[in-house]
């Protein structure tokens, strides 16, 4: 199957500064892909090249089968783009803004009216359709922006930091909408963000993008395995007290890579898979009191820190 978005050795330089450096990436139909990295990583520059709004220094980019540099008009017909700060005509209502966008996309008035009203209902703005866009809150503007990019029935939507400045409840609603669009309408979504938890919550795959380079890409379990080798699962057992014999017994279990003591009662057990049940059975069989057993699979927090240990973690947002 041909990728919907295909970047091959894509680079962009401004004088001596390289914003994007040899980026190769494929995104498939109906997928939600998260481009994760700190501010200044080159994410927005990459998006501009996908949309044909800036030319690459080298390499190629194809979206929906079209070359974004030479066939940018065809790409724009098929792609909806939501920037981090959406601009609307402030003295027009939400509905009027959508109808204006529909007219720009040569959608007949009757069809545009029905679709605009349906989209406002879908994004939760039906009650605010007649209110001027200038009165909308940040969260409402982003939802109106999502309706705006959907009015032309795009095959792909690109979202650049879409949840900045939105309250937690608004973020949950917005992310739920994105998941529904991907699942129900088979829309391919590229979500550019520096927010770890939001990316992990909805994306099928993620790419770690820093300094203009894609350092790793894949789903969270595969990235975890790449970074943590044969220790993708960590289990902590709290026993009272923990004997050396118990450590030896746990070390012999299938799937256990190593056992280390954190203190007299806490044992850290590195595993190749989740074997919590076998660990619990072994602790009880050895006559020890099992106070707690916690299984943890490494997520984007740990993956990000492993890549950038010692770096400036103020560049990304933790929620």
């Amino acid at each position: 199957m041909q990728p919907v978005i295909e970047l091959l050795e894509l680079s962009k330089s401004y004088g001596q500064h390289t914003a994007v450096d040899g980026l190769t990436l494929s995104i498939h139909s109906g997928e939600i892909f998260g481009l994760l990295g700190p501010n200044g990583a080159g994410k927005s520059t990459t998006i501009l090249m996908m949309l044909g709004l800036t030319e690459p220094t080298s390499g190629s980019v194809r979206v929906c089968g079209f070359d974004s540099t030479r066939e940018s008009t065809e790409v724009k017909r098929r792609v909806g783009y939501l920037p981090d700060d959406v601009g609307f005509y402030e003295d027009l209502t939400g509905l009027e803004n959508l109808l204006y966008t529909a007219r720009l996309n040569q959608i007949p008035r009757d069809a545009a009216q029905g679709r605009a009203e349906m989209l406002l209902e879908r994004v939760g703005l039906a009650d605010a359709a007649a209110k001027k866009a200038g009165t909308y809150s940040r969260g409402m503007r982003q939802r109106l922006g999502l309706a705006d990019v959907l009015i032309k029935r795009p095959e792909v939507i690109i979202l650049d930091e879409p949840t900045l400045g939105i309250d937690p409840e608004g973020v949950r609603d917005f992310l739920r909408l994105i998941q529904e669009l991907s699942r129900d309408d088979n829309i391919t979504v590229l979500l550019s963000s520096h927010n770890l938890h939001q990316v992990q919550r909805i994306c099928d795959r993620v790419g770690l993008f820093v300094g203009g380079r894609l350092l790793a890409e894949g789903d969270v379990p595969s990235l975890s395995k790449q970074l943590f080798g044969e220790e993708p699962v960590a289990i902590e057992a709290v026993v009272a007290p923990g004997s050396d014999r118990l450590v030896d017994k746990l070390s012999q279990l299938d799937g256990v890579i190593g056992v280390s003591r954190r203190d007299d009662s806490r044992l850290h057990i590195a595993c190749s898979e989740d074997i919590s049940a076998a660990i619990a059975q072994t602790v009880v069989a050895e006559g020890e009191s099992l106070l707690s057993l916690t299984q943890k699979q490494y997520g984007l927090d740990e993956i990000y820190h492993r890549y950038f240990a010692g770096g400036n973690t103020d560049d990304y947002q933790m929620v």
Side-chain angles (χ1 to χ4, degrees), residues 158-215:
I158 297 176
L159 311 173
D160 193 359
E161 299 286 2
T163 59
L164 284 179
I166 304 180
D167 62 83
E169 184 177 355
V171 168
R172 285 192 297 271
D173 290 343
F174 192 88
L175 295 179
R176 176 182 52 78
L177 278 170
I178 298 304
Q179 287 180 302
E180 289 177 357
L181 288 168
S182 176
R183 182 186 67 238
D184 300 340
D185 298 8
N186 197 41
I187 293 177
T188 304
V189 180
L190 174 66
L191 171 64
S192 168
S193 180
H194 65 283
N195 192 304
L196 304 179
H197 291 181
Q198 291 177 16
V199 169
Q200 182 166 336
R201 191 181 305 171
I202 69 167
C203 291
D204 302 305
R205 286 191 302 139
V206 299
L208 301 182
F209 200 57
V210 173
R213 298 178 61 231
L214 188 67
L215 301 186

Side-chain angles (χ1 to χ4, degrees), residues 3 5-12 19-28 31 33-35 42 46 49-50 56 58-62 190 205-210 212-218:
I5 298 174
E6 188 171 24
L7 315 179
L8 182 61
E9 291 296 322
L10 189 67
S11 297
K12 178 67 177 180
V20 178
D21 186 8
L23 174 58
T24 295
L25 176 66
S26 295
I27 301 173
H28 297 279
E31 186 174 27
F33 187 92
L35 198 57
T46 299
M49 288 190 284
M50 289 181 189
S58 62
S60 64
V61 51
R62 298 186 70 84
L190 174 66
R205 286 191 302 139
V206 299
L208 301 182
F209 200 57
V210 173
R213 298 178 61 231
L214 188 67
L215 301 186
E217 62 90 11

Side-chain angles (χ1 to χ4, degrees), residues 34 46 62 67 75 81 87 153 160 162 169 191 198 226 235-237 253 277 297 308:
T46 299
R62 298 186 70 84
D67 185 295
V75 170
Y81 172 51
R153 301 183 186 274
D160 193 359
E169 184 177 355
L191 171 64
Q198 291 177 16
Q226 288 177 39
I235 297 175
E236 183 178 85
L253 291 175
Q297 187 156 355
F308 311 113

